[in-house]
Amino acid sequence: MERAPMTASPAPLGDFTAPDASDAAVDTGSGVGPVAAPGPDSEAAPDTVGERERAVGVAVPGQPVRDYPPYRGSGLRHPRQPLVEIDALADPESVELSGPVFGVTDVTDLDADLTRQHAGEPLGERITVSGRILDRTGRPVRGQLVEIWQANAAGRYAHHRDRHRAPLDPHFTGAGRCVTDDTGRYSFTTIKPGAYPWGNHHNAWRPAHIHFSFFGSAFTQRLVTQMYFPGDPLIAYDPILASVTAPEARARLVAAYDPELSSPDWSLGYRWDVILDGPSATWTEEGR
């Protein structure tokens, strides 16, 4: 359940990206220690060869290499040929890709509170996750559709392909969405997800994380990434996070505890701001 394809049709709120078969089945039989991050990003390549380099897994600035050996599934989860440009004049129906995608129903306040979507209270630590979506100049991105999906407190997704031997929570589906306000702010109330095994290597466990999707003003602008929690000891052992080459870029994927976002006797607060472009952009799972 490591990412949603960048070119797939958006799923309804109750649907999830299925765990990749490569994640579930691979077990090398050898242990790993803390994953060492690779060196600095390579220099930018000319646009004329950039797609060819990306197709064969060469690193590009701001993104990890597509084939990152410690992340065993990465070799099967990206295009191996340059992307094909769509000619809107030759294919008039392609104009549908440039329209906004909000799903089949309106976004309501209930969508942003994952603890109130069922008749009972979900199990686990209630948290508030909030932040601002900004562009490279610090301007707020207003009206941005933000979607999240996650495992429950036991580390299991509400998905038929999740075979982790952990309990499902009948009062927690693990999916939510909201639209940013005029200051670019989003906010979710949810349950802190648990770690789960994922079969990448012997005794491999994913750190607690929440998947985020940002749709931009059109489906073709969709960005997908993951948010992690501070102080998680599994972060040092995670090949997916280690594939982000620059330490400062990895740090931007980790939320910060914020007492101002915490509610007394209710929830702990975490702040996670997202920058969509520029040199300080939050890493996204581009092309994977």
Side-chain angles (χ1 to χ4, degrees):
M1 311 250 334
E2 304 321 318
R3 60 99 178 93
M6 299 295 288
T7 57
S9 298
L13 182 59
D15 292 348
F16 300 88
T17 303
D20 194 309
S22 61
D23 289 350
V26 175
D27 187 344
T28 64
S30 60
V32 297
V35 180
D41 293 331
S42 62
E43 293 298 321
D47 292 340
T48 54
V49 298
E51 281 303 322
R52 292 198 297 272
E53 291 184 338
R54 293 147 83 95
V56 296
V58 175
V60 294
Q63 296 290 341
V65 293
R66 289 183 172 181
D67 285 325
Y68 182 66
Y71 177 14
R72 293 288 301 276
S74 64
L76 303 175
R77 303 178 75 165
H78 65 80
R80 295 188 178 277
Q81 298 295 328
L83 301 180
V84 177
E85 184 175 356
I86 297 174
D87 186 345
L89 296 178
D91 182 11
E93 292 186 359
S94 66
V95 71
E96 296 178 4
L97 295 175
S98 61
V101 180
F102 278 80
V104 297
T105 59
D106 293 336
V107 180
T108 68
D109 291 341
L110 187 63
D111 293 334
D113 190 341
L114 283 66
T115 69
R116 295 196 300 125
Q117 296 175 352
H118 297 274
E121 290 279 345
L123 298 175
E125 177 185 329
R126 188 184 290 105
I127 60 174
T128 297
V129 178
S130 183
R132 298 181 68 204
I133 313 299
L134 308 170
D135 66 14
R136 69 170 65 201
T137 65
R139 293 179 300 184
V141 180
R142 305 176 179 88
Q144 173 70 215
L145 177 62
V146 183
E147 293 185 333
I148 65 170
W149 62 98
Q150 63 169 91
N152 65 18
R156 186 170 178 181
Y157 289 90
H159 192 280
H160 69 279
R161 290 187 60 187
D162 191 338
R163 292 294 182 260
H164 178 28
R165 289 179 295 178
L168 287 170
D169 188 338
H171 303 303
F172 189 76
T173 304
R177 60 182 181 169
C178 71
V179 177
T180 57
D181 63 17
D182 286 343
T183 68
R185 181 166 298 280
Y186 71 89
S187 185
F188 291 98
T189 300
T190 185
I191 297 297
K192 187 174 182 180
Y196 58 81
W198 63 300
N200 183 74
H201 52 271
H202 175 66
N203 203 20
W205 290 78
R206 290 295 332 273
H209 60 279
I210 297 176
H211 300 264
F212 274 76
S213 167
F214 309 98
F215 270 99
S217 59
F219 176 64
T220 51
Q221 300 173 355
R222 188 186 185 198
L223 300 176
V224 177
T225 189
Q226 299 178 23
M227 184 208 82
Y228 299 84
F229 292 87
D232 190 331
L234 292 174
I235 285 178
Y237 297 84
D238 186 49
I240 294 179
L241 188 54
S243 71
V244 181
T245 56
E248 61 275 13
R250 289 196 301 275
R252 289 196 291 270
L253 294 175
V254 181
Y257 170 69
D258 189 342
E260 296 299 318
L261 294 175
S262 298
S263 298
D265 302 320
W266 182 250
S267 69
L268 293 179
Y270 291 91
R271 175 176 46 80
W272 192 55
D273 297 329
V274 174
I275 301 175
L276 294 182
D277 60 1
S280 297
T282 303
W283 174 76
T284 59
E285 298 169 0
E286 183 275 331
R288 294 174 61 166

